[in-house]
Amino acid sequence: MLTVDFSRFPLAPGDRVLDLGCGAGRHAFECYRRGAQVVALDRNAEEIREVAKWFAAMKEAGEAPAGATATAMEGDALALPFPDESFDVVIISEVMEHIPDDKGVLAEMVRVLKPGGRIAVTVPRYGPEKVCWTLSDAYHEVEGGHIRIYKADELLAKIREAGLRPYGTHHAHALHSPYWWLKCAFGVDNDKALPVRAYHKLLVWDIMKKPLATRVAERALNPVIGKSFVAYATKPHLPRAEADAT
């Protein structure tokens, strides 16, 4: 289940991609399949080990084209272990709402992104997320949990302040918002509640089968209750005079 829409966020074979806070690796795997040179980075050692295993399995199964590479590594989003202008593409999906110094993370992403490079940022959308916070303290008051709820204009302002130029936005995963509302209403750790189990089965069926009816429904509902807000931006090239001075 991808949050980034690669029809709006073009990726070329050979692009060097950083999936920052990669989690289980869903975007990193898609970039690898598309022929990129991928670095998946996360602070969670267990998840990184699993991502590395999946990269190896994908290579063995021939799922990635010739020339594609994939590396999984532990790292700190506020002190990335890469030189300046190392990547053509940076993806950070559902991560910034966890980090107190979100401006510091943006600064690090801009540092390692090449001029002309592209960045995709996804965060929980304000409305659906506010419902979750209202229904359940346990949803966000946990170690490593969500510490803020972004409004779209707030996130875009921070992206601009970091020196990036936003060029597109959209919402995603409308069908997932009711699932999380149910989870919060019945208890975030209560997977036995009948409404939660029933809706989870629906989501699994939708992800596996991708039926036309639910695809159309989600596209229609995304602008209203999409669970995630997605923003795309580019890092501008320096003006010639400034580049020469640098």
Side-chain angles (χ1 to χ4, degrees):
M1 183 187 73
L2 299 174
T3 307
V4 172
D5 181 350
F6 286 94
S7 69
R8 310 183 194 211
F9 189 65
L11 189 69
D15 275 352
R16 185 162 168 79
V17 177
L18 172 63
D19 185 2
L20 180 55
C22 65
R26 57 201 172 102
H27 289 107
F29 300 149
E30 181 65 18
C31 293
Y32 189 32
R33 291 188 187 98
R34 290 171 177 262
Q37 298 176 7
V38 184
V39 176
L41 183 144
D42 201 284
R43 65 184 299 177
N44 187 311
E46 183 177 346
E47 287 195 310
I48 284 299
R49 284 192 292 269
E50 286 300 309
V51 170
K53 290 178 184 177
W54 278 105
F55 278 151
M58 290 173 67
K59 181 177 181 179
E60 185 174 349
E63 291 189 34
T69 61
T71 302
M73 61 184 295
E74 289 182 64
D76 183 352
L78 290 166
L80 295 174
F82 310 112
D84 296 355
E85 302 179 4
S86 298
F87 294 93
D88 302 289
V89 173
V90 177
I91 296 171
I92 184 165
S93 183
E94 312 299 301
V95 173
M96 287 180 57
E97 67 275 10
H98 296 271
I99 301 176
D101 185 7
D102 57 347
K103 290 185 178 181
V105 173
L106 277 168
E108 271 294 88
M109 289 190 288
V110 171
R111 180 184 68 78
V112 302
L113 186 64
K114 296 177 182 178
R118 302 171 305 286
I119 186 168
V121 181
T122 91
V123 297
R125 184 185 187 173
Y126 183 84
E129 184 77 348
K130 190 69 174 178
V131 173
C132 289
W133 282 45
T134 300
L135 290 172
S136 171
D137 290 337
Y139 170 78
H140 63 98
E141 290 183 356
V142 295
E143 184 179 355
H146 298 184
I147 63 170
R148 70 173 64 84
I149 308 176
Y150 287 101
K151 291 185 177 180
D153 56 357
E154 174 194 359
L155 179 62
L156 291 172
K158 289 187 176 183
I159 288 172
R160 291 187 182 97
E161 288 170 8
L164 298 166
R165 292 179 180 168
Y167 69 84
T169 65
H170 65 89
H171 300 97
H173 309 318
L175 296 183
H176 288 249
S177 290
Y179 172 71
W180 283 102
W181 297 339
L182 289 169
K183 288 271 287 180
C184 290
F186 286 92
V188 290
D189 296 319
N190 180 12
D191 294 326
K192 295 182 179 180
L194 180 59
V196 175
R197 287 191 290 115
Y199 202 98
H200 183 263
K201 287 182 180 179
L202 170 66
L203 290 179
V204 171
W205 172 77
D206 175 58
I207 291 169
M208 299 300 295
K209 301 296 184 180
K210 297 181 175 64
L212 178 60
T214 56
R215 296 300 87 213
V216 170
E218 184 156 75
R219 281 196 296 270
L221 289 170
N222 274 338
V224 183
I225 60 168
K227 183 73 169 67
S228 293
F229 174 70
V230 188
Y232 305 110
T234 59
K235 179 178 178 178
H237 291 275
L238 288 173
R240 180 174 299 277
E242 186 177 343
D244 292 342
T246 303

